[in-house]
Amino acid sequence: MKTGIDEQQELFRPIDLELLKVGGAEVFDIFYKTTAFGNTQFVKFASTHPSHQDKIRKLIESGENNQEFHIREEDLGKYHGLATKSLRTMITNPDIPFEEKTRKIYDVSKGIMKDFFESNASEKILHSSEEVMDIMEECLSGNEAGFHSISMITNKDYYTYTHSVNVGLYCMSYGIKTKMGPNDIKDLGVGGMFHDLGKSKIDADLINKNGKLTDDEFETIKSHSFLGAEILDAMQCYGTNVIRMAGEHHEKFKGKGYPKGLVGDEISQFARICKVMDVYDALTTRRSYKKAMAPFEALTLMGKQMVDEFDRDILGTFVRYMGPDL
């Protein structure tokens, strides 16, 4: 019997049913959302029973799954495990275009980071994003995609979670294009994705404030660098490169950045790369209070008015690789 579950009693998260196509040992209840008498309810569509799981597979194969499906928040870990399994199957399929593969991987990454930042999800969910970045690196390394083509799949509206994925993707692409070692490429991708992790500890209303910040509010926002490094260090599964990207991406090459006011090579090379990608993505994405800059306009601003903030060699290399044919 289908059971209506009040939204106030349990938290539910939307899922991409297509990512369950490969199946697996991990199963969970799936619900669809409905509204009755002004109340939102989640109605069970399929349980963990094998016959119900078969119903899901048939729905996917029919191509008629236009309904939005949800799972309980507690099952996010299981869902993301199946999603990454599905992605690995996808990238080995030569019949699926590169653009479709990268967009699907990007969407899964975005969903994981959204769950972390907006759903009070456990830090364990971050391990799923690390695996997705591994998959993206496999996909990108086998193609001649430049920064220009990668920028075509990134979300142009600024949210902390989309910005995080964008920066991770740009950082990893930089590592691939400059032929850095595989471990360094992985660190760049993961560190770029996690660079703003400290914002999860700051009130969302302050993070998304449209107007000018007060001095006290700005000091609170600035604390995200230290908080991010602290979170990653406490997890005890990420190395110095990733931790320093979170802690130092607001340092400026000529000094007067935060939190420590480091100068030049005192700033980690990985953080210096992240700084360029962080600013570029922030400038080229829309916010409620500003329009997105065109890539050329953003790069011109960075190379002239903001040049003292960056390692010029890294910025120059990034600019060279931004061409549409590179």
Side-chain angles (χ1 to χ4, degrees):
M1 182 178 73
K2 293 180 180 179
T3 304
I5 301 180
D6 189 90
E7 188 176 22
Q8 302 303 315
Q9 294 178 319
E10 294 191 61
L11 295 175
F12 292 82
R13 302 294 167 229
I15 62 170
D16 181 351
L17 207 63
E18 282 287 327
L19 293 173
L20 305 185
K21 183 181 292 186
V22 296
E26 296 279 19
V27 293
F28 35 80
D29 295 337
I30 295 177
F31 303 81
Y32 65 88
K33 186 165 66 173
T34 185
T35 302
F37 304 107
N39 295 317
T40 298
Q41 291 185 320
F42 289 88
V43 179
K44 186 180 290 187
F45 171 77
S47 70
T48 58
H49 191 278
S51 64
H52 284 204
Q53 296 299 305
D54 187 53
K55 180 169 69 171
I56 295 169
R57 282 189 288 273
K58 289 180 178 178
L59 179 62
I60 295 172
E61 291 168 2
S62 73
E64 299 176 356
N65 52 318
N66 296 322
Q67 175 78 44
E68 185 180 82
F69 291 93
H70 295 72
I71 60 172
R72 294 188 182 96
E73 186 177 277
E74 64 196 52
D75 290 324
L76 281 172
K78 294 178 182 179
Y79 166 69
H80 289 309
L82 286 178
T84 53
K85 181 180 177 182
S86 179
L87 291 178
R88 287 202 177 278
T89 300
M90 176 184 291
I91 66 169
T92 60
N93 187 341
D95 296 328
I96 300 177
F98 168 74
E99 292 78 9
E100 183 178 339
K101 292 177 182 178
T102 52
R103 187 169 296 280
K104 181 65 74 172
I105 299 169
Y106 177 80
D107 287 343
V108 172
S109 301
K110 190 172 63 175
I112 291 172
M113 295 308 290
K114 183 176 182 180
D115 288 335
F116 178 81
F117 279 108
E118 296 189 351
S119 307
N120 298 313
S122 165
E123 290 173 2
K124 291 180 180 179
I125 203 169
L126 297 179
H127 295 300
S128 296
S129 60
E130 181 181 359
E131 185 172 357
V132 174
M133 290 304 281
D134 279 344
I135 295 170
M136 181 67 88
E137 191 271 330
E138 290 176 35
C139 190
L140 293 179
S141 294
N143 292 272
E144 290 300 316
F147 282 104
H148 179 82
S149 59
I150 293 302
S151 70
M152 295 298 100
I153 70 166
T154 56
N155 190 299
K156 300 307 178 185
D157 286 307
Y158 189 101
Y159 300 99
T160 300
Y161 59 91
T162 54
H163 173 65
S164 296
V165 178
N166 292 354
V167 172
L169 186 52
Y170 283 132
C171 284
M172 184 171 62
S173 298
Y174 182 94
I176 293 171
K177 284 300 178 183
T178 56
K179 303 189 185 308
M180 296 176 73
N183 291 334
D184 289 343
I185 291 171
K186 179 177 179 179
D187 282 352
L188 278 172
V190 173
M193 184 180 279
F194 293 171
H195 79 287
D196 270 345
L197 216 57
K199 289 183 177 178
S200 66
K201 302 298 185 183
I202 298 174
D203 185 87
D205 290 337
L206 180 56
I207 295 290
N208 298 317
K209 182 178 177 180
N210 290 340
K212 183 181 173 76
L213 296 173
T214 67
D215 290 344
D216 287 343
E217 287 173 336
F218 185 50
E219 288 301 315
T220 299
I221 292 290
K222 286 166 62 176
S223 70
H224 81 273
S225 296
F226 169 77
L227 292 171
E230 191 175 61
I231 291 170
L232 291 168
D233 188 42
M235 291 175 70
Q236 297 185 340
C237 55
Y238 297 107
T240 301
N241 292 333
V242 173
I243 295 170
R244 291 186 69 177
M245 286 174 76
E248 299 175 7
H249 67 278
H250 281 291
E251 300 287 358
K252 299 179 181 180
F253 198 71
K254 292 292 181 70
K256 298 184 179 180
Y258 65 84
K260 296 181 179 179
L262 302 178
V263 179
D265 291 342
E266 293 176 351
I267 308 166
S268 157
Q269 178 194 16
F270 289 75
R272 282 180 269 144
I273 294 171
C274 187
K275 171 77 173 181
V276 172
M277 310 309 161
D278 179 32
V279 172
Y280 175 78
D281 187 68
L283 292 174
T284 56
T285 50
R286 291 181 293 265
R287 301 208 194 192
S288 58
Y289 54 89
K290 77 167 188 71
K291 294 181 179 179
M293 285 187 178
F296 179 78
E297 184 183 7
L299 292 172
T300 300
L301 176 66
M302 292 168 69
K304 292 184 177 180
Q305 298 179 34
M306 303 176 68
V307 68
D308 287 347
E309 297 191 16
F310 309 109
D311 181 321
R312 294 191 185 200
D313 290 338
I314 292 172
L315 178 60
T317 299
F318 178 60
V319 171
R320 287 196 300 275
Y321 280 117
M322 273 303 296
D325 298 320
L326 296 177

